[in-house]
Amino acid sequence: NDGGSLIVSTCDISGCTASDHAGAIWNKGPLTVTNSTFTDNNANDVGGIYNAAGGSGSVAIEGCTFTNNSSTGGCGAIGNASGASAMTITGCSISGSNAGTNGGGLWNGSTVTLNNVTIENCQALSTGNEQGRGGAILNNEGWIIINGGTFQNNTSREGGADYNKQS
């Protein structure tokens, strides 16, 4: 989705692979995803949904399940790039996702609101410089608002639940 509007509802997106960004969905416009599952998707950067910089319109993800999504060079399940539009995630579960560098479950460089989100058993285990941070979440100079939720059994070199980086 490169600037258009995209609505995804009650879908199963699994086993998808991208050599660069977003194993499942690459987005740069208004996006609404509801009651869908994302399983075993992989990319170099962000296994599940990637919200790119410079887009317009908000992103809403509600009632979705992200399981075993991974990246070799970036975040495991959901990435919200620096300069991307605001994202709201409500009533979702992220589990078993792995990041090659940072943010096993979620990587944020913009603004994300989490409402009753569960992130568990995610990993960011790279040992390189500036890597292996945020087993559940890496917040890279952005804003994250958390309204309820569960963060458990996430693993990283620094910040098992959250690594909050400031410039």
Side-chain angles (χ1 to χ4, degrees):
N1 181 28
D2 195 0
S5 296
L6 178 62
I7 298 171
V8 177
S9 181
T10 320
C11 290
D12 177 16
I13 301 173
S14 62
C16 299
T17 301
S19 61
D20 195 7
H21 290 81
I25 296 174
W26 185 97
N27 181 66
K28 196 174 183 178
L31 172 65
T32 301
V33 183
T34 58
N35 302 317
S36 295
T37 60
F38 295 80
T39 308
D40 296 323
N41 299 295
N42 182 276
N44 179 55
D45 189 20
V46 187
I49 296 175
Y50 176 70
N51 191 36
S56 63
S58 61
V59 174
I61 303 169
E62 186 173 337
C64 294
T65 302
F66 294 81
T67 307
N68 298 331
N69 295 284
S70 62
S71 71
T72 54
C75 149
I78 301 172
N80 197 36
S82 297
S85 56
M87 177 183 286
T88 301
I89 304 171
T90 303
C92 293
S93 171
I94 300 171
S95 64
S97 293
N98 295 292
T101 56
N102 296 307
L106 170 68
W107 189 100
N108 177 56
S110 186
T111 301
V112 171
T113 301
L114 301 176
N115 299 311
N116 299 313
V117 171
T118 297
I119 303 177
E120 60 187 354
N121 302 314
C122 294
Q123 298 181 32
L125 296 177
S126 178
T127 58
N129 186 32
E130 298 287 320
Q131 297 178 1
R133 295 176 172 166
I137 299 170
L138 177 93
N139 187 39
N140 188 36
E141 302 176 14
W143 287 89
I144 294 186
I145 301 160
I146 301 172
N147 299 307
T150 302
F151 302 88
Q152 62 186 14
N153 300 321
N154 298 293
T155 306
S156 69
R157 188 171 60 87
E158 296 178 322
D162 177 59
Y163 186 89
N164 191 40
K165 179 182 176 186
Q166 185 179 24
S167 59

